Amino acid sequence: MKIVGQKTRRVDGLALAKGKPVFADDIPKKDFLYLKILHSPIAHGRIKSIDKSKAMAVNGIAAILTHEDFPIHYFTSAGQGYPEPSPRDTRIFDDTVRFVGDRVAVVAGESLEAVEKSVELIRVDYEELPAIFDVRESIDNKTIIHPGKDGFSFLHDAKRNISANIDEELGNVEAGLKESSHVFEGTYFTPYAQQASIEPHITLTWLDENDRLVIRTATQVPYHVRRIVGEVLNLPVGKIRVIKPRIGGGFGGKQEILNEEVCAAVTMATGKPCRLEYTREEEFYAARSRHPQYVTYKIGLMDDLSINAIDMEILQNSGGYGPHSLTVMSVTASKTLALYRSPNIRIRANSVYTNLPPAGAYRGYGAPQGFFALESLMDEISEELQVDPILLRKKNYYVEGEEVPIAKVLGEGRDGFPVILNTNGIEACIDRGRELIDWDILRKSEKTGIFRRGVGLATVAQASGIAGVDMGSVFMKMNEDGSFNLNVGATDLGTGSDTALAQIAAEVLDVSVDKIIVLSSDTDTTPFDTGAYASSTTYISGAAVKKVAEDILRQILEQGKLILGVNEAKIADNSVIADNGKSITYQDICTKSFYTDHQKQIQATASKISYDSPPPYNATFADVTVDTETGFVKVNKIVSITDSGQIINPQMSEGQAEGAIPQSLGMALSEFMIFDEKGRAINKNFEDYHIYTSIDMPEIVAEFVYTNEPTGPFGAKAVAEIPINGPAPAVANAIYNACGVRIRKLPITPEAVLTEFQKITDEG
Amino acid sequence: MTTFTINGKTVAVDLRAGTTLLDYLREHGFFSVKYGSDKGETGSDSVLVDGKSMNASLMLIHTLNGKNVETVESFAHGREVHPLQDTFIEEGAIQCGYCTPGMILAIESLARENELPSEEDVKDVLAGVYCRCTGYVKPVKAAMHYLIAKNGDTR
Ligand code: FES
């Protein structure tokens, strides 16, 4: 391979480096209306009345829309394929508010100042309702957050505040645990954490010259935006065009249909172009975040250390609405249970409503929560049994050729598809990482004094797209200079997928990457794609690109033979070369096909749906120093070794790991949302919600071990999400190794470490 | 009336009090300067003011009299890109690119004021520009390559 497996300059690199106007907001906004949302100041209540008279009187205000302006229609903002496996519990505006930050009204005006002033002047009279803030008190609470919604699609039990439920068993867990020689149990908590893309949610809408609605938006799912906005506003999709320009990071947060339908509604109501951008503060309390979960594992082991039973329970906080509540839990279970073999498995999971902000999709999608629990417990087991944590793990991995039974029962809100492992590089990942982190020395080094250093490990899995659900499609045509237009529905959210797809096409066509002109994510000009989530783009859309390029190559050969008038020929050096020595270049084939010989446009389309979703694997090692006087944890180094099959672009793949690691370290050590007793978010800016900056970064080593996945394009598996799963549990395990403190609740604050450390020193 | 230069061009503006440089720049098509937060924490609103990297969202336009403002739009000349931009592309330091102009300005201001900056100096200036995609690994590497190529060596 000449291009796949090599680094290449990003196809969008030049424009981005030059600061070209390529993001959603980077267009002139003459005549635009600026929009602001009025958010609920209370956590739970019914709107008795809304008085907009004073607000409308502000100079320059064009419209104020509230629940009174829309028919009752329930949808989900989850931004998933149809029918969505999330409860349809959301209205564009509702007469009930369910969290501080819920949408009450939208104000549109000629300037931001005018709407900011106007929003303050809307008088809303609320009947306050009791609110639920503790996820453990939600089930069977007297307060019902979504009354009257029984029977709504994918809403499990509205009367009991349960938005989603999973109850599955393979084998017999009770018997399996009974048979086991050792049984261990632990409950672990992960908090609300923010995607925190640097570009906030931003949507621009207008009517084009033919009165079609154009939505230019920072989204990961342009086709779902089109479908859902169409549904909510009762517009045929043919009247809507969604354009995703470059977007400033997504990480799942931009899978949500957060405000697109509101912005579009104002354009439809006023005929005017509109712009709605969230401030950073709104991003924190009114956008989406990671689902907080309590995860409990009970694991039974036999004398030979093989796992005999895994019993798993999840209690998940959906917040006020239930987007992604079923599927996030399902991923928590399916990804963690795809790592270690166990003949008996049970999952009992509930996602419940509370009056806190609704959570959504965030890189890893449930897997980081689950692996924090599982990989912490595996370490605790190895400690208890005094066995090497690496040995314990290696003893239990699924191996190549084995079937992973959990995949069959946990699909995307329906039965899934069986997974037979073709490739599993986990052991190679461990062996490489162990060397790079100095495991054997640091693990056993002296643990005394104020500063104590330790190392920890976590091994994790993910998937490559959603089997039987994700689909990508592409269109390609040839130009007479030997360049190719590649129009893909896939959505590059900053990951570099446009470049990876161009590399796949270039590899097949044996041309340089600059000959591939990528146009992505415009519902008018690019074919359907389910969107950028679930680590699907390289594996699914990449396979569609490979297919289309192979078709184009076949057509080039056919046209070449026709033009040369020969039966046998081959392709080499950008030419078709006949057995008799005659040859014709790509350029000449296309030019003659356009104008003179056997005229046709060389073009092709392809779609790809996969019933496989091979797991990538990763081993993450952390080297930390704990200050036992302050409880402060310093991460010295993270080593992240991933098996993503064949890597399409090593530089970009490294970048995926390097970027995921600080997100996970943030969840481990510093990032979480704090709410006051009224459910109001307290830390709503980057001073109070601390994400990693350049000076916080430890040394990072991100490498790959190569396997050759037969179902993936050129042997590729997914890469984007998996590196986020390991750092948090690896750090927790390293802290234990350093100073004997086991923390089961994220983030691991200095206070928590200190309190626990004091306890063991007191006991000791 | 406030008079200042943007990317070499002198402008005289008379705007309502409270207008920030960020508002002004985005209204006038300098889209490389971006909103990230209200207090400038993200640094995606960075500009160079008299050669120093500053947050445009924290600067009121009337305080700019006589100042020299630069944005990344002035870095590439026609088809020729600034070597720092080129290094960013080459080193894979750009993912979504939202933070990239701010990073380039921060590094450039460091390069201008400090002839022999160290990797620590680079990390210090980049601490004012948040990136959620790269983990800063490749941006720091790109900055060091650029500075070494420019100065022959670093500290
Ligand atoms: S590249 Fe996306 S924020 Fe830096």
Side-chain angles (χ1 to χ4, degrees):
Chain A
M1 285 183 289
K2 290 188 200 154
I3 291 164
V4 162
Q6 306 299 322
K7 83 169 197 189
T8 186
R9 289 164 76 96
R10 292 177 67 103
V11 296
D12 52 353
L14 199 57
L16 292 168
K18 285 176 159 179
K20 289 282 181 196
V22 293
F23 292 92
D25 194 40
D26 299 349
I27 56 172
K29 281 171 283 287
K30 202 167 134 355
D31 300 329
F32 266 70
L33 294 177
Y34 288 79
L35 270 49
K36 267 250 153 261
I37 302 279
L38 171 66
H39 298 282
S40 169
I42 61 168
H44 197 194
R46 233 184 315 275
I47 297 170
K48 290 200 285 195
S49 64
I50 301 180
D51 176 2
K52 6 187 226 195
S53 54
K54 279 217 182 75
M56 273 309 284
V58 174
N59 219 347
I61 295 304
I64 299 178
L65 302 180
T66 70
H67 72 92
E68 291 161 358
D69 300 294
F70 296 90
I72 295 179
H73 175 79
Y74 290 96
F75 68 105
T76 171
S77 60
Q80 297 166 304
Y82 182 84
E84 303 93 341
S86 286
R88 292 184 155 249
D89 55 9
T90 304
R91 286 179 62 191
I92 183 167
F93 294 104
D94 206 338
D95 59 359
T96 302
V97 291
R98 297 181 175 85
F99 68 99
V100 176
D102 209 350
R103 297 184 307 202
V104 175
V106 60
V107 180
E110 284 158 14
S111 71
L112 217 42
E113 299 85 69
V115 293
E116 275 165 5
K117 192 165 154 203
S118 171
V119 134
E120 303 277 316
L121 296 172
I122 301 175
R123 290 283 157 262
V124 185
D125 192 7
Y126 297 98
E127 174 199 343
E128 245 183 279
L129 299 169
I132 304 170
F133 298 127
D134 189 334
V135 64
R136 292 163 297 191
E137 291 166 7
S138 175
I139 294 178
D140 296 331
N141 197 297
K142 281 205 301 291
T143 298
I144 298 174
I145 296 177
H146 288 273
K149 291 193 190 160
D150 265 353
F152 272 38
S153 64
F154 277 100
L155 205 170
H156 178 70
D157 192 345
K159 283 197 198 73
R160 301 186 67 207
N161 285 329
I162 302 174
S163 63
N165 164 276
I166 299 171
D167 205 339
E168 295 286 354
E169 184 162 9
L170 292 169
N172 184 334
V173 160
E174 295 294 344
L177 287 171
K178 226 172 256 155
E179 269 161 36
S180 302
S181 318
H182 314 275
V183 175
F184 298 91
E185 182 175 350
T187 297
Y188 304 81
F189 174 77
T190 47
Y192 274 114
Q194 297 279 345
Q195 297 88 348
S197 57
I198 308 299
E199 177 199 44
H201 287 83
I202 166 111
T203 299
L204 280 66
T205 53
W206 64 87
L207 294 174
D208 73 5
E209 49 288 357
N210 300 315
D211 267 356
R212 288 174 75 231
L213 174 66
V214 181
I215 305 175
R216 180 178 163 101
T217 185
T219 184
Q220 297 174 219
V221 289
Y223 273 90
H224 300 336
V225 169
R226 186 179 73 166
R227 186 190 83 240
I228 293 165
V229 171
E231 178 197 311
V232 174
L233 301 183
N234 202 12
L235 285 170
V237 292
K239 290 271 183 218
I240 304 173
R241 175 182 188 179
V242 178
I243 300 168
K244 181 230 63 135
R246 303 327 295 171
I247 77 170
F251 315 113
K254 289 172 182 166
Q255 186 182 346
E256 207 74 8
I257 312 302
L258 197 69
N259 281 323
E260 280 94 346
E261 83 285 26
V262 172
C263 201
V266 182
T267 286
M268 295 312 292
T270 61
K272 294 255 177 69
C274 291
R275 170 190 184 271
L276 177 48
E277 180 184 50
Y278 262 178
T279 62
R280 180 55 57 188
E281 188 170 310
E282 289 175 298
E283 285 288 310
F284 276 103
Y285 73 88
R288 304 292 184 254
S289 49
R290 190 180 293 295
H291 284 86
Q293 286 185 355
Y294 286 94
V295 181
T296 304
Y297 282 100
K298 202 185 244 185
I299 297 182
L301 290 100
M302 306 305 272
D303 276 331
D304 67 351
L305 299 179
S306 64
I307 296 176
N308 193 48
I310 303 181
D311 195 8
M312 179 178 191
E313 274 181 66
I314 306 170
L315 178 61
Q316 172 176 282
N317 188 351
S318 298
Y321 298 88
H324 303 278
S325 53
L326 175 64
T327 39
V328 164
M329 289 194 307
S330 153
V331 163
T332 306
S334 63
K335 303 305 175 261
T336 53
L337 297 173
L339 189 61
Y340 301 117
R341 179 191 314 110
S342 171
N344 306 293
I345 298 173
R346 180 167 66 182
I347 309 117
R348 287 170 297 176
N350 282 313
S351 188
V352 303
Y353 291 119
T354 62
N355 294 107
L356 289 171
Y362 180 8
R363 194 180 204 171
Y365 201 79
Q369 293 95 314
F371 279 114
F372 172 62
L374 180 62
E375 287 301 281
S376 293
L377 183 57
M378 286 302 276
D379 237 49
E380 292 182 45
I381 295 173
S382 71
E383 202 58 46
E384 283 292 323
L385 296 179
Q386 291 292 307
V387 296
D388 176 33
I390 292 179
L391 190 98
L392 173 68
R393 287 175 168 88
K394 283 190 176 176
K395 174 92 198 160
N396 286 289
Y397 292 127
Y398 283 110
V399 297
E400 290 178 1
E402 234 177 318
E403 184 182 340
V404 179
I406 192 69
K408 236 184 344 208
V409 291
L410 289 180
E412 177 91 333
R414 41 175 146 146
D415 276 359
F417 296 87
V419 167
I420 310 274
L421 289 185
N422 295 310
T423 49
N424 183 348
I426 188 67
E427 299 213 3
C429 293
I430 294 183
D431 295 343
R432 178 69 181 144
R434 174 185 199 146
E435 193 182 308
L436 290 169
I437 202 85
D438 259 340
W439 176 267
D440 296 287
I441 291 166
L442 289 176
R443 187 80 183 168
K444 299 205 172 66
S445 64
E446 189 70 22
K447 317 284 178 193
T448 52
I450 297 169
F451 296 99
R452 300 192 189 178
R453 189 165 173 198
V455 284
L457 147 80
T459 59
V460 299
Q462 194 79 29
S464 304
I466 308 168
V469 171
D470 284 342
M471 183 182 116
S473 55
V474 297
F475 164 68
M476 190 181 240
K477 70 179 176 69
M478 186 179 191
N479 302 312
E480 64 265 49
D481 63 346
S483 67
F484 300 85
N485 291 99
L486 176 64
N487 294 14
V488 294
T491 307
D492 188 338
L493 46 145
T495 51
S497 65
D498 282 356
T499 306
L501 298 180
Q503 284 181 268
I504 290 171
E507 180 71 45
V508 173
L509 294 164
D510 195 17
V511 296
S512 55
V513 175
D514 61 5
K515 291 276 193 249
I516 311 293
I517 308 150
V518 184
L519 175 70
S520 61
S521 323
D522 175 334
T523 58
D524 265 13
T525 56
T526 65
F528 180 80
D529 192 286
T530 38
Y533 52 84
S535 299
S536 57
T537 305
T538 302
Y539 184 75
I540 306 272
S541 309
V545 168
K546 182 158 182 277
K547 223 162 121 182
V548 90
E550 284 163 354
D551 191 350
I552 293 280
L553 195 68
R554 189 189 49 75
Q555 292 184 40
I556 293 172
L557 181 62
E558 280 314 305
Q559 281 296 100
K561 287 198 287 196
L562 280 176
I563 295 166
L564 292 175
V566 298
N567 288 326
E568 293 304 323
K570 63 176 190 326
I571 289 190
D573 302 328
N574 288 211
S575 299
V576 169
I577 303 170
D579 286 359
N580 62 12
K582 280 206 279 183
S583 78
I584 181 167
T585 63
Y586 278 13
Q587 285 93 325
D588 286 348
I589 291 171
C590 188
T591 308
K592 285 187 192 296
S593 299
F594 277 0
Y595 299 110
T596 53
D597 295 30
H598 307 277
Q599 278 164 275
K600 76 174 253 190
Q601 165 74 63
I602 294 176
Q603 59 182 338
T605 59
S607 309
K608 173 72 186 179
I609 167 101
S610 175
Y611 295 95
D612 293 300
S613 176
Y617 292 95
N618 166 289
T620 301
F621 293 77
D623 164 1
V624 308
T625 301
V626 182
D627 179 339
T628 55
E629 281 188 341
T630 62
F632 183 79
V633 175
K634 181 173 181 293
V635 181
N636 306 310
K637 184 173 176 179
I638 296 287
V639 172
S640 172
I641 314 291
T642 308
D643 157 26
S644 286
Q646 166 68 44
I647 296 296
I648 304 291
N649 182 320
Q651 189 185 56
M652 288 188 338
S653 296
E654 279 165 29
Q656 286 298 302
E658 290 160 356
I661 289 163
Q663 289 179 321
S664 178
L665 291 178
M667 184 173 96
L669 297 170
S670 69
E671 295 186 31
F672 66 121
M673 291 303 293
I674 310 168
F675 302 93
D676 69 9
E677 72 294 345
K678 296 261 185 203
R680 291 174 296 215
I682 289 173
N683 49 345
K684 294 175 289 192
N685 58 57
F686 281 132
E687 276 164 13
D688 300 326
Y689 182 97
H690 188 77
I691 67 171
Y692 268 61
T693 71
S694 56
I695 47 177
D696 305 313
M697 288 298 291
E699 184 190 349
I700 302 273
V701 181
E703 287 188 7
F704 294 86
V705 302
Y706 283 62
T707 55
N708 190 357
E709 172 59 40
T711 65
F714 294 108
K717 299 193 276 191
V719 65
E721 292 181 286
I722 184 156
I724 204 172
N725 294 342
V731 164
N733 291 340
I735 292 170
Y736 182 84
N737 177 240
C739 65
V741 164
R742 171 64 60 187
I743 308 278
R744 299 191 180 86
K745 180 171 182 266
L746 296 183
I748 300 171
T749 60
E751 300 79 59
V753 173
L754 208 53
T755 315
E756 289 303 310
F757 187 71
Q758 231 101 56
K759 270 191 215 159
I760 33 180
T761 32
D762 289 351
E763 280 163 21
Chain B
M1 188 70 82
T2 309
T3 308
F4 57 101
T5 62
I6 300 178
N7 295 342
K9 224 176 114 191
T10 305
V11 292
V13 295
D14 194 6
L15 288 164
R16 107 193 125 68
T19 304
T20 66
L21 179 56
L22 178 67
D23 296 338
Y24 176 86
L25 290 172
R26 291 203 62 85
E27 215 156 285
H28 290 80
F30 297 91
F31 289 121
S32 72
V33 190
K34 300 174 193 307
Y35 174 81
S37 62
D38 293 303
K39 296 184 196 154
E41 304 101 312
T42 66
S44 52
D45 61 339
S46 297
V47 290
L48 294 186
V49 177
D50 291 346
K52 276 201 170 354
S53 180
M54 309 282 258
N55 294 116
S57 58
L58 300 180
M59 305 200 79
L60 297 176
I61 212 91
H62 68 264
T63 65
L64 287 168
N65 225 346
K67 304 262 194 228
N68 177 26
V69 176
E70 290 167 80
T71 71
V72 154
E73 275 92 349
S74 69
F75 275 45
H77 296 287
R79 295 177 57 87
E80 203 178 302
V81 302
H82 189 279
L84 181 52
Q85 293 172 320
D86 191 60
T87 313
F88 256 62
I89 302 169
E90 191 58 33
E91 292 295 332
I94 303 174
Q95 284 191 34
C96 79
Y98 201 78
C99 66
T100 305
M103 285 203 177
I104 286 175
L105 293 177
I107 295 160
E108 183 57 20
S109 75
L110 175 68
R112 287 188 199 171
E113 81 186 26
N114 186 339
E115 281 206 348
L116 295 173
S118 65
E119 192 169 310
E120 291 313 304
D121 295 331
V122 167
K123 286 185 179 164
D124 276 345
V125 297
L126 287 186
V129 187
Y130 285 11
C131 175
R132 196 61 160 169
C133 302
T134 64
Y136 312 95
V137 179
K138 298 203 190 305
V140 169
K141 206 166 139 201
M144 292 314 292
H145 278 202
Y146 165 70
L147 292 166
I148 289 168
K150 185 169 187 251
N151 301 326
D153 200 358
T154 61
R155 218 185 291 139

